[in-house]
């Protein structure tokens, strides 16, 4: 977008800015909800978990709003080329963000259960994994905001470290679970929480792939070839 | 728009993509420059592109970019302008230089028909309109004419609407029907190429849809070149699209490529409504 001059129809520019800003805002909301859910777990703060669950409604509303905005732009202005890709990408990213917020809700609900039980120190092991997934999400949203497919590619390249981190953390919890009788349910919840964090990382990769499509018009999903400028 | 748009970037203009697509070409335009004022200024400059056989090719660009001028070069309609001339290059249709001394414009136009922006049926019956070109060619047998009229009207998706009133005046038809009648009239003489200069600009959306549907079907038998100001129309009906600006060909590629990911910024700025 930044490399182009404005449209003759200034309302078209306004509408494109509106959908972009709404999507970036929704991204910030999804990050906040995830952060509240994990902090609720780590800091044993039920109120933060409740906030993450309650704020998911905002994300749902944002998704619907972005879809409506996108459809309005498609019917009113009939965008083409990079404009078309921007609108389609924003609508798809909104859907990924809504699902990320759903993962945050799942994490928050399990966290409320975990923090009801006596404290277990192993909970802190989730934090390292969270940082990996959260950093991927932040970079994916930044890449979308800046139209930066190189940054998006760096998110996609985090897939292996994400899987490795998930495997390592889950294995620790699963192993402990086998020998635990008192906290076995908490450890089971932590295994699930890790699974949802991994899903957040996967969805961040999906967002990054959309950014590459928007920026280069190349669909790289499902292992398709990268555009020459990113190889 | 021409007055306010910026000048084309020379580097971009030189990088027109894919001007000679694979497959058999019906029309080959090679380094064509054209002037309306005896060569003082060139309205078209160094145009090179090949139009593939039995495909629909759209010419797009802002008013004054030369797309209609180029279209009219293809059946020598510009011969009617006394001061006009081709200053460089050549146009070949079916491997024949159409401006060679031994090629008559009248014979050329039998092979290269044209449909205009404003439908222009003759003030005659529907039947006589379609039969007109054949009669000019000296065909008088009723059976042959009737067969050709029915075939052309069917080809133009008009037969069912007019078969019971072939002797009625063509001027009593709706605008969309009149335009399809003009297409039928063009088809009757069995040209190889049909040129269309904004054929739907005077039609309502339903009539436009019918003409677009017809164009899509006609590609099976004809090579079609269409000038249009509607990006949506170009993207709906054409296989290839050429973008012109200030008399130069800026980009020529598959329609999908032009409308989803054009190679040249100027093309993108134009199709996305950023010229200004």
């Amino acid at each position: 977008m930044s490399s182009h001059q404005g449209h003759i129809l200034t309302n078209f520019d306004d509408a494109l800015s509106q959908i972009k800003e709404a999507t970036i805002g929704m991204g910030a909301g999804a990050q906040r909800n995830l952060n509240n859910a994990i902090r609720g777990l780590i800091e044993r703060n039920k109120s933060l978990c409740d906030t993450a669950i309650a704020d998911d409604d905002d994300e749902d509303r944002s998704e619907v709003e972005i879809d409506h905005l996108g459809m309005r732009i498609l019917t009113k202005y009939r965008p083409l080329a990079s404009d078309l890709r921007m609108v389609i990408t924003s609508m798809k990213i909104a859907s990924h963000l809504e699902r990320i917020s759903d993962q945050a809700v799942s994490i928050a609900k399990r966290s409320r259960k975990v923090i009801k039980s006596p404290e277990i120190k192993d909970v802190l092991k989730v934090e390292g994994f969270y940082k990996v997934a959260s950093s991927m999400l932040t970079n994916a949203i930044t890449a979308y905001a800046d139209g930066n497919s190189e940054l998006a590619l760096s998110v996609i390249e985090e897939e292996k470290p994400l899987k490795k981190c998930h495997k390592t953390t889950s294995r620790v919890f699963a192993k402990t679970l086998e020998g635990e009788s008192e906290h076995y349910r908490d450890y089971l919840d932590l295994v699930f929480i890790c699974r949802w964090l991994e899903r957040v990382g996967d969805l961040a990769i999906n967002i990054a792939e959309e950014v590459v499509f928007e920026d280069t018009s190349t669909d790289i999903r499902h292992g398709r070839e990268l555009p020459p400028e990113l190889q | 728009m021409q007055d306010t748009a910026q000048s084309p970037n020379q580097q971009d203009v030189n990088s027109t993509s894919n001007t000679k697509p694979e497959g058999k070409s019906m029309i080959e335009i090679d380094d064509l420059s054209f002037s309306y004022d005896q060569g003082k200024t060139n309205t078209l400059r160094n145009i090179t592109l090949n139009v593939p056989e039995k495909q629909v090719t759209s010419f797009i660009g802002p008013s004054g970019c030369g797309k209609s001028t180029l279209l009219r070069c293809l059946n020598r309609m510009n011969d009617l302008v006394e001061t006009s001339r081709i200053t460089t290059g050549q146009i070949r249709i079916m491997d024949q230089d159409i401006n060679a001394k031994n090629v008559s414009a009248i014979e050329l136009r039998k092979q290269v028909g044209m449909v205009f922006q404003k439908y222009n049926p003759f003030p005659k019956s529907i039947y006589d309109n379609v039969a007109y070109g054949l009669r000019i060619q000296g065909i008088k047998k009723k059976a042959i004419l009737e067969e050709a009229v029915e075939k052309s009207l069917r080809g133009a998706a008009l037969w069912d609407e007019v078969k019971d009133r072939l002797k009625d005046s063509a001027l009593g038809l709706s605008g969309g029907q009149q335009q399809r009648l003009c297409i039928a009239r063009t088809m009757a003489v069995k040209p190889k190429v049909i040129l269309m200069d904004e054929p739907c600009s005077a039609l309502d959306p339903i009539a436009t849809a019918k003409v677009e549907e017809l164009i899509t079907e006609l590609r099976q038998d004809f090579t079609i070149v269409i000038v249009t100001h509607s990006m949506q129309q170009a993207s709906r009906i054409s296989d290839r699209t050429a973008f012109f600006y200030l008399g130069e060909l800026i980009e020529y590629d598959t329609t999908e490529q032009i409308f989803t990911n054009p190679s040249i910024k100027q093309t993108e700025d134009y199709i996305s409504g950023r010229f200004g």
Side-chain angles (χ1 to χ4, degrees):
Chain A
M1 284 289 290
S2 56
S3 63
H4 292 294
Q5 62 190 97
H7 292 86
I8 296 165
L9 288 172
T10 51
N11 286 346
F12 186 14
D13 280 332
D14 294 343
L16 290 175
S17 300
Q18 203 182 347
I19 195 170
K20 183 123 193 174
E21 282 165 19
T23 310
I24 295 167
M26 189 180 172
Q31 281 178 299
R32 196 168 47 245
N33 290 352
L34 183 66
N35 184 260
N36 282 338
I38 293 294
R39 274 178 54 216
L41 174 70
I42 308 280
E43 296 170 16
R44 298 179 67 78
N45 183 334
K46 181 177 173 294
S47 162
L48 284 173
C49 294
D50 291 342
T51 304
I53 295 163
D55 288 353
D56 181 51
D57 287 348
D58 294 340
E59 295 297 280
D60 292 347
R61 271 193 295 274
S62 293
E63 187 197 15
V64 172
E65 184 197 335
I66 288 163
D67 273 358
H68 286 179
L69 268 172
M71 282 189 279
R72 212 178 304 146
I73 292 171
L74 291 173
T75 50
K76 200 169 177 182
Y77 301 105
R78 311 251 178 123
L80 289 168
S82 62
D83 297 333
L84 177 63
R85 295 200 300 275
M86 203 279 259
V87 175
I88 300 281
T89 298
S90 299
M91 293 168 79
K92 292 176 82 174
I93 287 177
S95 169
H96 297 317
L97 290 170
E98 191 275 335
R99 290 165 72 189
I100 286 172
S101 189
D102 285 348
Q103 308 302 314
V105 169
S106 300
I107 292 169
K109 284 180 177 171
R110 290 287 171 139
S111 297
R112 283 197 306 204
K113 286 185 184 172
V114 172
I115 62 180
K116 268 187 189 168
S117 306
E119 189 171 2
I120 45 174
K121 283 188 177 168
D122 278 343
V123 163
L124 295 175
K125 289 182 175 138
V126 173
E127 196 171 15
F129 186 31
Y130 160 72
K131 280 180 180 164
V132 174
S134 173
S135 155
M136 289 172 74
L137 177 58
T138 303
N139 285 338
I141 294 166
T142 307
Y144 167 72
D146 298 344
N148 184 342
S149 49
E150 284 176 9
L151 182 60
L153 187 61
S154 76
V155 174
I156 295 162
E157 285 166 350
E158 285 294 304
E159 185 174 13
K160 274 188 183 167
L162 175 82
K163 303 286 174 200
K164 196 178 170 189
C165 198
H166 173 233
K167 207 171 171 181
T168 312
T169 317
S170 296
R171 192 179 287 159
V172 169
F173 292 146
K175 211 166 184 181
T176 316
L177 174 67
E178 287 168 16
E180 266 284 346
S181 54
E182 190 187 349
H183 287 291
Y184 84 94
R185 190 169 282 278
D186 297 330
Y187 278 99
L188 190 60
D189 287 336
L190 291 175
V191 169
F192 274 112
I193 285 170
C194 287
R195 176 71 192 92
W196 291 320
L197 278 176
E198 188 211 15
R199 192 75 197 106
V200 168
D202 287 341
L203 288 163
I205 288 170
N206 291 353
I207 292 172
E209 288 170 341
E210 306 295 355
V211 172
V212 171
F213 174 71
E214 183 191 342
D215 194 31
T216 67
S217 187
T218 305
D219 188 346
I220 61 164
R221 292 174 301 170
H222 311 301
R224 287 192 176 89
E225 206 173 316
L226 288 171
E229 60 266 40
L230 290 180
Q231 282 175 7
Chain B
M1 185 175 282
Q2 187 187 4
D3 295 338
T4 52
Q6 62 190 18
S7 297
N9 174 307
Q10 199 56 43
Q11 189 185 351
D12 282 354
V13 171
N14 290 339
S15 59
T16 52
S17 54
N18 206 3
T19 55
K20 295 188 177 176
E22 286 177 13
K24 191 177 176 189
S25 294
M26 173 60 76
I27 303 170
E28 295 164 286
I29 304 170
D30 187 17
D31 195 33
L32 183 81
S33 297
F34 173 86
S35 169
Y36 278 118
D37 55 7
Q38 297 178 322
K40 288 178 197 158
T41 51
N42 281 331
T43 304
L44 295 174
R45 288 194 290 279
N46 307 105
I47 307 289
T48 295
L49 86 158
N50 288 2
V51 175
E53 183 183 38
K54 293 185 180 176
Q55 287 194 14
V56 180
T57 300
S58 286
F59 290 175
I60 62 168
S63 297
C65 71
K67 56 191 186 301
S68 291
T69 297
L70 180 60
L71 195 76
R72 286 197 293 268
C73 285
L74 299 180
N75 68 347
R76 289 178 50 185
M77 287 285 284
N78 290 323
D79 287 7
L80 303 171
V81 182
E82 275 185 27
T83 54
S84 71
R85 72 166 69 140
I86 286 175
T87 51
T88 67
Q90 195 181 52
I91 300 171
R92 288 185 301 280
I93 296 181
M94 293 185 293
D95 298 324
Q96 168 72 55
D97 177 358
I98 64 166
N99 293 292
K101 283 183 180 169
N102 61 342
V103 175
S104 98
I106 292 167
E107 288 302 312
L108 172 70
R109 288 174 201 149
K110 287 179 189 170
Q111 298 294 323
V112 185
M114 191 158 191
V115 175
F116 296 88
Q117 179 177 8
K118 179 70 184 140
Y119 34 88
N120 55 350
F122 304 131
K124 291 170 174 285
S125 70
I126 295 166
Y127 183 97
D128 288 342
N129 262 276
V130 183
Y132 185 85
L134 297 167
R135 283 180 173 142
I136 293 279
Q137 289 178 14
I139 296 169
K140 289 177 184 166
K141 274 197 172 176
K142 199 179 168 191
I144 295 175
L145 289 174
E146 278 182 358
E147 189 189 342
V149 168
E150 180 175 340
K151 198 176 173 192
S152 301
L153 287 170
R154 282 189 188 280
L158 195 57
W159 175 252
D160 289 341
E161 293 166 54
V162 301
K163 64 184 176 190
D164 299 325
R165 46 177 174 144
L166 293 174
K167 297 296 175 189
D168 289 1
S169 169
L171 302 180
L173 297 171
S174 71
Q177 287 172 326
Q178 288 190 32
Q179 188 62 300
R180 280 182 284 149
L181 178 67
C182 292
I183 294 172
R185 189 177 63 190
T186 305
M187 288 163 61
V189 294
K190 296 183 180 167
K192 296 289 182 193
V193 178
I194 299 178
L195 310 176
M196 297 184 172
D197 194 355
E198 295 185 58
C200 301
S201 62
L203 303 181
D204 67 32
I206 293 170
T208 297
K210 286 184 178 175
V211 172
E212 287 185 3
E213 175 75 8
L214 173 59
I215 291 169
T216 308
E217 284 170 15
L218 291 179
R219 70 149 66 82
Q220 291 168 17
D221 299 310
F222 303 97
T223 300
I224 296 172
V225 183
I226 179 170
V227 163
T228 178
H229 274 131
S230 164
M231 302 297 121
Q232 281 68 39
Q233 182 168 71
S235 66
R236 280 193 296 265
I237 63 172
S238 58
D239 302 289
R240 303 186 65 80
T241 297
F243 168 57
F244 296 88
Y245 184 57
L246 296 180
E248 296 182 357
L249 174 64
I250 304 298
E251 187 166 359
Y252 178 49
D253 214 320
T254 62
T255 296
E256 187 180 349
Q257 185 70 25
I258 291 284
F259 287 110
T260 58
N261 190 26
S263 308
I264 295 168
K265 183 176 175 296
Q266 244 180 331
T267 313
E268 167 123 11
D269 284 350
Y270 177 71
I271 62 166
S272 58
R274 286 192 176 91
F275 260 32

